[in-house]
Amino acid sequence: MTSKVIQSVRGMHGLVPGIAAQYSEIQKKAVGVIQSYAYDEIQLPLLEYTDLFARGVGESTDIVEKEMYSLDDRDGVSLSLRPEGTAGCVRALEENGLLYNQTQKIFYTGPMFRYEKPQKGRYRQFNQIGVESYGFKGPDIDLELLLMMRDILSELDISSEVSLEINNLGSVESRHAYRLALIEYLEPLRSKLDEDSQRRLSSNPLRILDSKNAQTQDLLLNAPRLDDYSDDDSRDSFAELCALLDGQGQNYVINPFLVRGLDYYTDCVFEWKAKGIGAQNTICAGGRYDGLVGKLGGRETPAIGFAIGLERLVLAVEQTQDQLPVIGSADVYVCMLGESLLSRAIELGAQIRQRKADLKVRVHMGGGNLKKQFKKADTSGAKWALLIGEEEIEKNMVSLKDLRDSTTGQTMLSLEEAIQKIVVNKS
Ligand code: HAM
Protein backbone atom coordinates (compact mmCIF):
# COMPACT_ATOMS: atom_id res chain seq x y z
CA MET A 1 0.00 0.00 0.00
CA THR A 2 1.40 3.40 -0.92
CA SER A 3 0.96 6.17 1.62
CA LYS A 4 -0.81 9.38 0.78
CA VAL A 5 1.42 12.23 -0.37
CA ILE A 6 1.45 15.06 2.16
CA GLN A 7 0.52 18.41 0.65
CA SER A 8 1.97 21.80 1.55
CA VAL A 9 0.02 23.95 4.00
CA ARG A 10 -2.61 26.08 2.23
CA GLY A 11 -1.11 29.38 1.13
CA MET A 12 2.47 28.24 1.89
CA HIS A 13 3.81 26.70 -1.26
CA GLY A 14 7.58 27.28 -1.31
CA LEU A 15 9.47 27.35 -4.60
CA VAL A 16 10.74 24.42 -6.65
CA PRO A 17 14.26 24.34 -8.16
CA GLY A 18 14.53 26.60 -11.18
CA ILE A 19 11.69 28.87 -10.03
CA ALA A 20 13.52 29.50 -6.74
CA ALA A 21 16.57 30.62 -8.77
CA GLN A 22 14.41 33.06 -10.74
CA TYR A 23 13.03 34.59 -7.52
CA SER A 24 16.54 34.82 -6.06
CA GLU A 25 17.79 36.58 -9.17
CA ILE A 26 15.04 39.22 -8.91
CA GLN A 27 15.62 39.63 -5.17
CA LYS A 28 19.37 39.94 -5.80
CA LYS A 29 18.77 42.82 -8.22
CA ALA A 30 16.51 44.63 -5.74
CA VAL A 31 18.95 44.12 -2.88
CA GLY A 32 21.79 45.30 -5.13
CA VAL A 33 20.01 48.63 -5.57
CA ILE A 34 19.33 48.92 -1.81
CA GLN A 35 23.01 48.23 -1.06
CA SER A 36 24.05 50.81 -3.63
CA TYR A 37 22.36 53.34 -1.31
CA ALA A 38 24.63 52.05 1.49
CA TYR A 39 21.93 50.39 3.61
CA ASP A 40 23.09 47.64 6.00
CA GLU A 41 21.54 44.19 6.24
CA ILE A 42 19.77 43.11 9.42
CA GLN A 43 18.59 39.56 10.14
CA LEU A 44 15.51 39.13 12.27
CA PRO A 45 14.10 36.08 14.03
CA LEU A 46 10.96 34.47 12.61
CA LEU A 47 9.39 34.25 16.07
CA GLU A 48 8.86 37.21 18.39
CA TYR A 49 6.77 37.75 21.48
CA THR A 50 3.15 38.25 20.37
CA ASP A 51 3.10 41.39 22.45
CA LEU A 52 5.60 43.06 20.09
CA PHE A 53 3.11 42.91 17.21
CA ALA A 54 0.08 43.65 19.41
CA ARG A 55 1.77 46.83 20.62
CA GLY A 56 3.67 47.63 17.42
CA VAL A 57 1.28 46.83 14.58
CA GLY A 58 -1.83 47.50 16.69
CA GLU A 59 -4.38 45.36 18.57
CA SER A 60 -7.27 46.39 16.34
CA THR A 61 -5.57 45.78 12.99
CA ASP A 62 -6.64 42.81 10.86
CA ILE A 63 -3.09 41.48 11.07
CA VAL A 64 -3.08 41.19 14.86
CA GLU A 65 -6.79 40.51 15.30
CA LYS A 66 -7.20 37.74 12.73
CA GLU A 67 -4.06 36.89 10.84
CA MET A 68 -1.26 35.95 13.19
CA TYR A 69 0.15 32.47 13.58
CA SER A 70 0.53 32.39 17.35
CA LEU A 71 1.58 29.61 19.66
CA ASP A 72 2.33 29.18 23.32
CA ASP A 73 5.85 27.91 23.98
CA ARG A 74 6.54 25.31 26.65
CA ASP A 75 6.52 27.99 29.34
CA GLY A 76 3.10 29.19 28.21
CA VAL A 77 4.49 32.39 26.70
CA SER A 78 2.70 33.58 23.56
CA LEU A 79 4.95 33.83 20.50
CA SER A 80 3.99 34.71 16.93
CA LEU A 81 5.50 34.09 13.53
CA ARG A 82 6.39 37.53 12.24
CA PRO A 83 3.62 38.97 10.04
CA GLU A 84 5.91 41.85 9.02
CA GLY A 85 9.42 43.14 9.73
CA THR A 86 9.14 46.71 10.98
CA ALA A 87 8.26 46.00 14.61
CA GLY A 88 11.08 43.41 14.77
CA CYS A 89 13.58 45.96 13.40
CA VAL A 90 12.66 48.48 16.09
CA ARG A 91 12.87 45.78 18.76
CA ALA A 92 16.28 44.57 17.54
CA LEU A 93 17.86 48.02 17.18
CA GLU A 94 16.53 49.24 20.51
CA GLU A 95 17.58 46.08 22.33
CA ASN A 96 21.13 46.47 20.99
CA GLY A 97 21.37 50.18 21.76
CA LEU A 98 21.62 51.02 18.06
CA LEU A 99 19.15 53.89 18.06
CA TYR A 100 20.85 55.90 20.76
CA ASN A 101 22.41 59.09 19.33
CA GLN A 102 22.79 57.60 15.91
CA THR A 103 20.96 57.10 12.66
CA GLN A 104 20.36 53.77 10.97
CA LYS A 105 19.65 52.69 7.40
CA ILE A 106 18.90 48.99 7.19
CA PHE A 107 17.23 46.30 5.06
CA TYR A 108 16.02 42.74 5.53
CA THR A 109 14.64 39.94 3.39
CA GLY A 110 12.69 36.82 4.20
CA PRO A 111 9.38 35.16 4.84
CA MET A 112 6.43 36.70 6.67
CA PHE A 113 3.30 34.87 7.80
CA ARG A 114 -0.32 35.98 7.72
CA TYR A 115 -3.47 33.86 7.93
CA GLU A 116 -5.16 35.54 4.96
CA LYS A 117 -7.46 34.10 2.31
CA PRO A 118 -5.03 32.85 -0.33
CA GLN A 119 -5.43 34.07 -3.92
CA LYS A 120 -3.15 35.24 -6.72
CA GLY A 121 -0.58 37.54 -5.12
CA ARG A 122 -1.78 36.80 -1.58
CA TYR A 123 -0.30 33.95 0.40
CA ARG A 124 -0.01 32.84 4.00
CA GLN A 125 3.76 32.64 3.76
CA PHE A 126 5.25 35.30 1.51
CA ASN A 127 8.57 37.09 1.19
CA GLN A 128 9.34 40.71 1.81
CA ILE A 129 12.31 42.88 1.01
CA GLY A 130 12.08 45.59 3.65
CA VAL A 131 13.96 48.85 4.06
CA GLU A 132 13.89 51.03 7.20
CA SER A 133 15.63 54.20 8.31
CA TYR A 134 15.80 55.79 11.76
CA GLY A 135 16.76 59.21 13.00
CA PHE A 136 15.87 61.28 9.93
CA LYS A 137 12.97 63.71 10.11
CA GLY A 138 12.51 64.00 6.35
CA PRO A 139 11.37 64.79 3.80
CA ASP A 140 14.87 64.17 2.36
CA ILE A 141 14.82 60.55 3.51
CA ASP A 142 11.22 60.11 2.31
CA LEU A 143 12.43 61.16 -1.12
CA GLU A 144 15.44 58.83 -0.93
CA LEU A 145 13.26 55.81 -0.21
CA LEU A 146 10.87 56.62 -3.04
CA LEU A 147 13.77 57.09 -5.46
CA MET A 148 15.30 53.83 -4.26
CA MET A 149 12.10 52.01 -5.20
CA ARG A 150 12.08 53.86 -8.51
CA ASP A 151 15.60 52.54 -9.15
CA ILE A 152 14.55 48.99 -8.25
CA LEU A 153 11.70 49.17 -10.76
CA SER A 154 14.05 50.54 -13.38
CA GLU A 155 16.66 47.83 -12.66
CA LEU A 156 13.93 45.24 -13.26
CA ASP A 157 12.66 47.06 -16.35
CA ILE A 158 9.10 47.46 -15.04
CA SER A 159 8.95 51.23 -14.42
CA SER A 160 6.18 51.73 -16.96
CA GLU A 161 4.01 49.06 -15.29
CA VAL A 162 4.02 50.59 -11.82
CA SER A 163 2.55 53.79 -10.40
CA LEU A 164 2.98 55.59 -7.10
CA GLU A 165 0.20 56.73 -4.77
CA ILE A 166 0.91 58.85 -1.71
CA ASN A 167 -1.09 60.38 1.12
CA ASN A 168 -0.51 62.34 4.29
CA LEU A 169 -1.95 60.81 7.47
CA GLY A 170 -0.83 63.70 9.68
CA SER A 171 0.51 63.41 13.22
CA VAL A 172 -0.82 60.99 15.82
CA GLU A 173 -2.83 63.82 17.43
CA SER A 174 -4.38 65.12 14.21
CA ARG A 175 -5.26 61.59 13.16
CA HIS A 176 -7.01 61.10 16.47
CA ALA A 177 -9.11 64.22 15.89
CA TYR A 178 -9.92 62.99 12.38
CA ARG A 179 -10.88 59.57 13.74
CA LEU A 180 -13.47 61.15 16.02
CA ALA A 181 -14.88 63.25 13.15
CA LEU A 182 -15.11 60.21 10.89
CA ILE A 183 -16.95 58.19 13.54
CA GLU A 184 -19.36 61.09 14.08
CA TYR A 185 -20.08 61.23 10.34
CA LEU A 186 -20.39 57.45 9.78
CA GLU A 187 -22.23 56.39 12.94
CA PRO A 188 -25.68 57.50 11.66
CA LEU A 189 -24.93 55.64 8.39
CA ARG A 190 -23.76 52.46 10.11
CA SER A 191 -26.50 50.18 8.72
CA LYS A 192 -25.65 51.21 5.15
CA LEU A 193 -21.97 50.28 5.49
CA ASP A 194 -20.61 46.89 4.37
CA GLU A 195 -20.14 44.30 7.07
CA ASP A 196 -16.38 44.74 7.44
CA SER A 197 -16.73 48.52 7.68
CA GLN A 198 -19.43 48.22 10.36
CA ARG A 199 -16.99 46.19 12.43
CA ARG A 200 -14.18 48.65 11.74
CA LEU A 201 -16.28 51.61 12.79
CA SER A 202 -15.69 50.66 16.40
CA SER A 203 -12.20 49.16 16.11
CA ASN A 204 -10.27 50.91 13.30
CA PRO A 205 -12.47 53.47 11.49
CA LEU A 206 -9.73 54.86 9.23
CA ARG A 207 -9.52 51.50 7.46
CA ILE A 208 -13.09 52.14 6.21
CA LEU A 209 -11.53 54.62 3.77
CA ASP A 210 -9.86 51.60 2.22
CA SER A 211 -13.12 49.71 1.63
CA LYS A 212 -13.60 48.31 -1.87
CA ASN A 213 -17.41 48.18 -1.39
CA ALA A 214 -19.12 50.53 -3.88
CA GLN A 215 -21.92 51.67 -1.53
CA THR A 216 -19.44 52.38 1.25
CA GLN A 217 -17.24 54.28 -1.18
CA ASP A 218 -20.26 56.41 -2.20
CA LEU A 219 -20.99 57.21 1.45
CA LEU A 220 -17.38 58.29 1.91
CA LEU A 221 -17.61 60.92 -0.81
CA ASN A 222 -19.05 63.44 1.66
CA ALA A 223 -17.04 62.26 4.66
CA PRO A 224 -14.64 64.65 6.41
CA ARG A 225 -11.23 64.74 4.68
CA LEU A 226 -8.11 63.57 6.45
CA ASP A 227 -6.20 66.42 4.91
CA ASP A 228 -8.42 69.04 6.62
CA TYR A 229 -7.33 67.73 10.03
CA SER A 230 -3.62 67.54 9.31
CA ASP A 231 -1.31 69.76 11.40
CA ASP A 232 0.80 72.47 9.76
CA ASP A 233 4.17 70.72 10.21
CA SER A 234 2.94 67.56 8.60
CA ARG A 235 1.25 69.43 5.77
CA ASP A 236 4.39 71.50 5.08
CA SER A 237 6.61 68.44 5.08
CA PHE A 238 4.23 66.63 2.72
CA ALA A 239 4.12 69.63 0.35
CA GLU A 240 7.91 69.72 0.40
CA LEU A 241 8.08 66.03 -0.44
CA CYS A 242 5.71 66.56 -3.37
CA ALA A 243 7.91 69.41 -4.63
CA LEU A 244 11.01 67.22 -4.31
CA LEU A 245 9.30 64.41 -6.25
CA ASP A 246 8.29 66.92 -8.93
CA GLY A 247 11.88 68.10 -9.08
CA GLN A 248 13.03 64.52 -9.66
CA GLY A 249 10.42 63.96 -12.36
CA GLN A 250 8.75 61.20 -10.37
CA ASN A 251 5.04 60.93 -11.12
CA TYR A 252 2.61 60.24 -8.30
CA VAL A 253 -1.06 60.51 -7.46
CA ILE A 254 -2.23 61.87 -4.12
CA ASN A 255 -4.88 59.41 -2.97
CA PRO A 256 -6.76 60.86 0.03
CA PHE A 257 -8.26 57.42 0.73
CA LEU A 258 -4.90 55.73 1.08
CA VAL A 259 -4.66 54.54 4.67
CA ARG A 260 -2.52 51.62 5.72
CA GLY A 261 -3.51 48.43 7.47
CA LEU A 262 -0.95 48.86 10.22
CA ASP A 263 -1.48 51.32 13.07
CA TYR A 264 2.02 52.74 13.36
CA TYR A 265 1.96 55.11 10.41
CA THR A 266 2.04 58.89 10.67
CA ASP A 267 2.43 61.62 8.04
CA CYS A 268 3.49 60.41 4.59
CA VAL A 269 2.39 56.94 3.42
CA PHE A 270 2.72 55.42 -0.01
CA GLU A 271 1.94 52.42 -2.19
CA TRP A 272 3.42 51.32 -5.52
CA LYS A 273 0.84 49.52 -7.65
CA ALA A 274 1.47 47.30 -10.67
CA LYS A 275 -0.80 46.98 -13.70
CA GLY A 276 -2.16 43.63 -14.83
CA ILE A 277 -1.24 41.40 -11.88
CA GLY A 278 -4.75 41.05 -10.45
CA ALA A 279 -6.54 42.44 -7.41
CA GLN A 280 -3.50 42.20 -5.12
CA ASN A 281 -1.58 44.80 -7.05
CA THR A 282 0.35 46.67 -4.34
CA ILE A 283 3.90 45.49 -4.85
CA CYS A 284 5.46 47.84 -2.32
CA ALA A 285 4.07 49.83 0.58
CA GLY A 286 5.30 51.90 3.46
CA GLY A 287 5.49 55.25 5.12
CA ARG A 288 6.63 57.23 8.10
CA TYR A 289 6.16 55.82 11.61
CA ASP A 290 7.58 58.42 13.95
CA GLY A 291 5.70 57.12 17.01
CA LEU A 292 6.67 53.45 16.93
CA VAL A 293 10.06 53.52 18.66
CA GLY A 294 8.52 55.45 21.58
CA LYS A 295 5.54 53.10 21.69
CA LEU A 296 7.87 50.12 21.98
CA GLY A 297 9.71 51.65 24.91
CA GLY A 298 12.51 53.60 23.21
CA ARG A 299 13.21 57.30 22.87
CA GLU A 300 11.03 59.10 20.30
CA THR A 301 12.80 58.56 16.97
CA PRO A 302 11.69 59.59 13.50
CA ALA A 303 11.42 56.57 11.22
CA ILE A 304 10.30 55.63 7.73
CA GLY A 305 10.41 52.49 5.62
CA PHE A 306 8.77 50.26 3.09
CA ALA A 307 8.44 46.61 2.19
CA ILE A 308 8.23 45.00 -1.22
CA GLY A 309 6.20 41.79 -1.61
CA LEU A 310 8.62 39.60 -3.56
CA GLU A 311 5.91 37.33 -5.04
CA ARG A 312 4.02 40.34 -6.38
CA LEU A 313 7.22 41.90 -7.68
CA VAL A 314 7.90 38.68 -9.60
CA LEU A 315 4.33 38.73 -10.99
CA ALA A 316 4.95 42.27 -12.22
CA VAL A 317 8.23 41.26 -13.88
CA GLU A 318 6.52 38.23 -15.47
CA GLN A 319 3.88 40.56 -16.92
CA THR A 320 6.45 42.29 -19.05
CA GLN A 321 8.16 39.17 -20.34
CA ASP A 322 6.81 36.05 -22.07
CA GLN A 323 8.78 33.98 -19.65
CA LEU A 324 11.32 34.68 -16.94
CA PRO A 325 14.81 33.75 -18.12
CA VAL A 326 15.59 30.13 -17.31
CA ILE A 327 18.47 29.94 -14.87
CA GLY A 328 20.42 26.74 -15.51
CA SER A 329 21.74 24.72 -12.61
CA ALA A 330 25.22 24.48 -14.11
CA ASP A 331 27.58 26.42 -16.37
CA VAL A 332 29.94 23.50 -16.92
CA TYR A 333 29.26 19.76 -16.87
CA VAL A 334 32.23 17.44 -16.48
CA CYS A 335 31.96 14.08 -18.30
CA MET A 336 34.36 11.14 -18.25
CA LEU A 337 35.06 8.25 -20.60
CA GLY A 338 34.86 5.39 -18.13
CA GLU A 339 34.15 5.29 -14.42
CA SER A 340 37.84 4.74 -13.61
CA LEU A 341 38.29 8.45 -14.36
CA LEU A 342 35.82 9.59 -11.67
CA SER A 343 38.54 10.81 -9.30
CA ARG A 344 40.21 12.79 -12.09
CA ALA A 345 36.83 14.28 -13.07
CA ILE A 346 36.17 15.32 -9.46
CA GLU A 347 39.65 16.90 -9.26
CA LEU A 348 38.97 18.73 -12.51
CA GLY A 349 35.72 20.11 -11.09
CA ALA A 350 37.58 21.31 -7.99
CA GLN A 351 40.29 22.96 -10.11
CA ILE A 352 37.75 24.90 -12.15
CA ARG A 353 35.87 26.07 -9.02
CA GLN A 354 39.16 27.14 -7.44
CA ARG A 355 40.15 29.22 -10.42
CA LYS A 356 36.74 30.67 -11.21
CA ALA A 357 34.58 30.61 -8.10
CA ASP A 358 31.55 32.08 -9.86
CA LEU A 359 31.30 29.20 -12.32
CA LYS A 360 28.77 26.53 -11.41
CA VAL A 361 30.40 23.18 -12.09
CA ARG A 362 28.59 19.85 -11.94
CA VAL A 363 30.55 16.60 -12.22
CA HIS A 364 28.62 13.70 -13.76
CA MET A 365 27.58 11.02 -11.25
CA GLY A 366 25.90 7.69 -11.75
CA GLY A 367 28.05 6.25 -14.57
CA GLY A 368 26.79 5.47 -18.05
CA ASN A 369 28.05 6.00 -21.57
CA LEU A 370 28.88 9.35 -23.11
CA LYS A 371 25.46 9.71 -24.77
CA LYS A 372 23.76 9.43 -21.38
CA GLN A 373 26.26 11.87 -19.85
CA PHE A 374 25.70 14.46 -22.60
CA LYS A 375 21.94 14.14 -22.12
CA LYS A 376 22.36 14.87 -18.42
CA ALA A 377 24.71 17.73 -19.28
CA ASP A 378 22.04 19.16 -21.56
CA THR A 379 19.28 19.09 -18.92
CA SER A 380 21.60 20.69 -16.34
CA GLY A 381 21.35 23.87 -18.40
CA ALA A 382 25.13 23.96 -18.87
CA LYS A 383 26.41 25.55 -22.04
CA TRP A 384 29.68 23.65 -21.81
CA ALA A 385 30.60 20.00 -21.39
CA LEU A 386 34.17 19.22 -20.37
CA LEU A 387 35.24 15.73 -21.27
CA ILE A 388 38.21 13.68 -20.14
CA GLY A 389 39.37 10.31 -21.52
CA GLU A 390 42.68 8.46 -21.56
CA GLU A 391 43.98 10.63 -24.40
CA GLU A 392 43.15 13.91 -22.61
CA ILE A 393 44.85 12.66 -19.43
CA GLU A 394 47.95 11.56 -21.30
CA LYS A 395 48.27 14.97 -22.98
CA ASN A 396 47.21 16.89 -19.85
CA MET A 397 44.36 18.46 -21.82
CA VAL A 398 40.56 18.52 -21.70
CA SER A 399 37.98 18.35 -24.49
CA LEU A 400 35.45 21.13 -24.58
CA LYS A 401 32.04 20.90 -26.25
CA ASP A 402 29.54 23.70 -26.74
CA LEU A 403 26.24 22.03 -25.88
CA ARG A 404 24.19 24.90 -27.28
CA ASP A 405 25.83 24.93 -30.71
CA SER A 406 25.44 21.67 -32.59
CA THR A 407 27.53 22.94 -35.51
CA THR A 408 30.73 22.79 -33.50
CA GLY A 409 32.42 19.60 -32.33
CA GLN A 410 34.82 18.97 -29.47
CA THR A 411 38.09 20.85 -29.14
CA MET A 412 41.05 19.67 -27.14
CA LEU A 413 42.53 22.47 -25.05
CA SER A 414 44.57 23.04 -21.93
CA LEU A 415 42.41 23.58 -18.82
CA GLU A 416 43.45 27.24 -18.74
CA GLU A 417 42.36 27.79 -22.34
CA ALA A 418 39.10 25.94 -21.73
CA ILE A 419 38.26 28.06 -18.67
CA GLN A 420 39.04 31.22 -20.59
CA LYS A 421 36.71 30.19 -23.41
CA ILE A 422 33.96 29.28 -20.92
CA VAL A 423 34.23 32.59 -19.10
CA VAL A 424 34.20 34.65 -22.27
CA ASN A 425 31.16 32.81 -23.62
CA LYS A 426 29.31 32.21 -20.36
CA SER A 427 25.53 31.63 -20.74
P1 HAM B 1 2.26 45.73 4.24
O1 HAM B 1 1.52 46.67 3.36
O2 HAM B 1 1.47 44.93 5.20
O3 HAM B 1 3.35 46.59 4.99
O4 HAM B 1 3.11 44.74 3.34
C1 HAM B 1 4.06 45.23 2.41
C2 HAM B 1 3.97 44.45 1.11
O5 HAM B 1 4.09 43.05 1.37
C3 HAM B 1 2.62 44.57 0.41
O6 HAM B 1 2.53 45.75 -0.34
C4 HAM B 1 2.62 43.35 -0.45
O7 HAM B 1 3.38 43.57 -1.62
C5 HAM B 1 3.33 42.33 0.42
N1 HAM B 1 2.33 41.48 1.10
C6 HAM B 1 1.64 41.76 2.22
N2 HAM B 1 0.82 40.73 2.55
C7 HAM B 1 1.01 39.79 1.61
C8 HAM B 1 0.47 38.47 1.38
N3 HAM B 1 -0.42 37.93 2.22
N4 HAM B 1 0.89 37.78 0.31
C9 HAM B 1 1.81 38.31 -0.54
N5 HAM B 1 2.36 39.52 -0.38
C10 HAM B 1 1.97 40.26 0.68
C11 HAM B 1 4.25 46.08 5.86
O8 HAM B 1 4.43 44.90 6.04
C12 HAM B 1 5.09 47.14 6.52
N6 HAM B 1 5.98 46.47 7.49
C13 HAM B 1 5.89 47.89 5.46
C14 HAM B 1 6.75 48.96 6.08
C15 HAM B 1 8.08 48.88 6.31
N7 HAM B 1 6.34 50.12 6.51
C16 HAM B 1 7.34 50.79 7.04
N8 HAM B 1 8.41 50.03 6.93
Side-chain angles (χ1 to χ4, degrees), residues 63 83-86 108 114 116 121-124 126 128 131-132 260 262 264-265 282-287 289 304-309 311-312:
I63 293 180
E84 60 102 54
T86 310
Y108 50 90
R114 296 183 194 174
E116 292 195 83
R122 188 162 73 193
Y123 314 101
R124 290 181 174 174
F126 58 96
Q128 282 189 346
V131 179
E132 316 284 353
R260 307 269 305 115
L262 304 94
Y264 48 63
Y265 291 109
T282 304
I283 60 168
C284 167
Y289 51 98
I304 180 170
F306 67 74
I308 301 169
E311 288 74 8
R312 294 185 196 175

Side-chain angles (χ1 to χ4, degrees), residues 69-219:
Y69 283 90
S70 301
L71 61 114
D72 284 349
D73 74 4
R74 285 167 194 271
D75 301 321
V77 179
S78 178
L79 306 177
S80 293
L81 279 172
R82 60 184 190 190
E84 60 102 54
T86 310
C89 280
V90 172
R91 195 266 312 135
L93 294 176
E94 192 55 37
E95 191 172 351
N96 291 288
L98 294 172
L99 290 176
Y100 190 73
N101 276 346
Q102 54 192 313
T103 56
Q104 290 291 345
K105 291 184 170 189
I106 56 171
F107 76 92
Y108 50 90
T109 59
M112 307 292 161
F113 303 84
R114 296 183 194 174
Y115 188 82
E116 292 195 83
K117 205 164 169 204
Q119 64 178 90
K120 182 179 173 190
R122 188 162 73 193
Y123 314 101
R124 290 181 174 174
Q125 177 176 335
F126 58 96
N127 288 282
Q128 282 189 346
I129 304 169
V131 179
E132 316 284 353
S133 76
Y134 299 91
F136 304 94
K137 282 207 176 78
D140 47 3
I141 189 78
D142 310 34
L143 177 73
E144 176 168 279
L145 289 187
L146 291 170
L147 294 183
M148 183 191 283
M149 186 59 192
R150 172 164 90 172
D151 287 355
I152 290 173
L153 298 174
S154 158
E155 175 68 20
L156 294 169
D157 238 351
I158 53 170
S159 307
S160 59
E161 306 303 305
V162 182
S163 55
L164 170 63
E165 292 184 7
I166 57 176
N167 192 22
N168 180 19
L169 296 182
S171 64
V172 175
E173 296 77 31
S174 66
R175 226 174 54 213
H176 184 65
Y178 175 70
R179 185 178 187 274
L180 295 178
L182 190 64
I183 295 175
E184 198 179 344
Y185 169 80
L186 287 175
E187 194 57 65
L189 305 169
R190 181 184 272 273
S191 61
K192 298 194 179 115
L193 295 172
D194 61 277
E195 203 181 315
D196 250 358
S197 297
Q198 289 192 18
R199 188 175 53 79
R200 285 178 171 150
L201 191 52
S202 332
S203 59
N204 201 349
L206 259 69
R207 284 305 304 282
I208 299 176
L209 301 184
D210 227 9
S211 168
K212 305 281 176 282
N213 181 279
Q215 189 174 328
T216 302
Q217 277 178 351
D218 274 353
L219 293 172

